[in-house]
Amino acid sequence: MRISCIILTRNNAEAFRESLGSVLAQRPRNWNSNVSVPWTWTCEIICIDSSDPPLSEDKCLCEIQRLPFQAAEAFTFQCIHQYPPRGVYPAMNLAMTVVSGESLMFMNAGDSFFDATALDRLHGTALNFHRETGGWPRFVFGQALIQQENGHGFCWLVPDSSLRRIGRWLRYFLPNHQTVLMEREWAVNHPFRLDAPHSADRSWLRQALEPPTTYAYLPQPVAIFRLGGLSSGLPDRRILQLRLAEPSRTKWEKAAEVIKYLLRPAARWYPLLMRYKSAAVGLFCR
């Protein structure tokens, strides 16, 4: 299977290198640099770069050339410079017009896989689903390890490890998109909405869950998500107004944004509240 991993970046070369390195570190679980091991997947890396000046594609290709032979054969790299920037979701839609893999996943610069086997474990979950049912799932997803904005202190998993009924959890919550391996054919036929600059990924995932969907859940951490980005921070009044105006948000999601706004005076305690919430939801869905 060919997997397309899409990385978005804008004037953040250090964070981009972190994400690129995380993708290039992916290996099969039984991989050994001294023994020839068959790879059941290959990965094309598509970078949508809105930086000024643009990233050097040659430097990125050099990173692949430094890999062990088997690994270097498994990865390809393509960089598309989109400037002036048009926003996150237009960049995601642009990437979906050029991908060639059967499945795809998205990363923003700074996002990373949990470990070197995360991609292989997601792919293995899709393979197991195919063996059991005869068909491929629309998407596969795993747990996200949530870190605080500074990368230090406590962290937690979403969904929580105590969860047993993933179908019940999905009635109320959505996976972190960094943990989702999506079927390309479905994705390219369902581009991201451009009238929801803060929540189009949520609307996209809700669409993916609509019947007759099929999905597979891997109850293991596969990606690291750091708080503090556009969609995870507590909104100020201006951001709250933008989010409430987005037609893609449900009434419950809008109510959640109002609660987040009211929590701004207790911003230092917000990560702790999120941690307790994940644990409580996990118990509710046992």
Side-chain angles (χ1 to χ4, degrees):
M1 175 183 284
R2 186 169 179 82
I3 297 170
S4 301
C5 188
I6 298 161
I7 305 176
L8 311 179
T9 187
R10 177 186 176 188
N11 297 330
N12 199 340
E14 182 178 347
F16 169 74
R17 284 193 294 269
E18 180 181 349
S19 297
L20 178 63
S22 176
V23 178
L24 293 177
Q26 295 304 298
R27 303 288 186 270
R29 280 162 287 183
N30 59 348
W31 187 78
N32 186 321
S33 60
N34 299 315
V35 180
S36 180
V37 174
W39 291 53
T40 58
W41 52 267
T42 60
C43 180
E44 68 166 0
I45 303 169
I46 305 291
C47 172
I48 306 298
D49 175 32
S50 298
S51 306
D52 184 27
L55 291 170
S56 169
E57 187 169 353
D58 290 341
K59 289 183 179 179
C60 298
L61 290 171
C62 285
E63 295 296 322
I64 294 179
Q65 293 166 359
R66 294 191 187 103
L67 295 174
F69 175 74
Q70 275 187 289
E73 289 288 296
F75 293 95
T76 60
F77 180 83
Q78 178 183 359
C79 187
I80 298 173
H81 189 228
Q82 185 186 66
Y83 193 85
R86 299 176 187 173
V88 171
Y89 298 115
M92 288 179 164
N93 286 341
L94 172 62
M96 290 195 294
T97 66
V98 299
V99 295
S100 62
E102 287 84 6
S103 299
L104 59 82
M105 63 190 314
F106 291 97
M107 286 188 168
N108 295 335
D111 292 336
S112 61
F113 285 110
F114 177 78
D115 59 18
T117 67
L119 190 58
D120 189 66
R121 288 183 284 119
L122 284 169
H123 174 249
T125 301
L127 279 178
N128 290 336
F129 184 95
H130 179 68
R131 292 189 189 106
E132 293 172 4
T133 68
W136 293 97
R138 179 177 292 174
F139 67 95
V140 180
F141 72 102
Q143 294 172 306
L145 181 73
I146 312 298
Q147 292 184 342
Q148 296 184 62
E149 187 171 357
N150 57 12
H152 301 294
F154 61 87
C155 52
W156 63 98
L157 291 170
V158 176
D160 189 78
S161 295
S162 63
L163 181 144
R164 296 292 179 269
R165 291 188 286 175
I166 190 62
R168 184 174 186 177
W169 186 86
L170 287 170
R171 295 178 194 171
Y172 308 101
F173 301 97
L174 293 168
N176 285 73
H177 78 256
Q178 294 87 347
T179 72
V180 175
L181 184 63
M182 185 69 72
E183 177 188 57
R184 180 186 65 86
E185 184 177 356
W186 183 89
V188 299
N189 288 313
H190 296 82
F192 291 94
R193 297 179 61 156
L194 301 184
D195 59 354
H198 288 233
S199 65
D201 57 329
R202 300 181 62 83
S203 173
W204 190 69
L205 288 168
R206 278 200 303 271
Q207 276 188 289
L209 282 164
E210 292 176 357
T213 191
T214 55
Y215 63 86
Y217 172 56
L218 173 65
Q220 298 172 12
V222 297
I224 298 172
F225 178 77
R226 188 168 293 173
L227 297 176
L230 178 68
S231 62
S232 63
L234 293 174
D236 57 23
R237 182 181 291 274
R238 182 184 67 84
I239 296 299
L240 176 64
Q241 290 173 340
L242 288 174
R243 293 181 180 178
L244 294 181
E246 289 181 328
S248 63
R249 289 187 186 269
T250 67
K251 62 179 181 180
W252 301 113
E253 288 174 337
K254 291 180 179 181
E257 292 303 318
V258 172
I259 292 172
K260 288 180 184 179
Y261 173 74
L262 296 175
L263 286 173
R264 282 180 64 82
R268 61 179 296 190
W269 303 109
Y270 182 57
L272 187 62
L273 293 174
M274 292 182 68
R275 180 186 183 186
Y276 287 147
K277 171 189 171 183
S278 180
V281 171
L283 292 173
F284 174 71
C285 297
R286 286 184 69 100

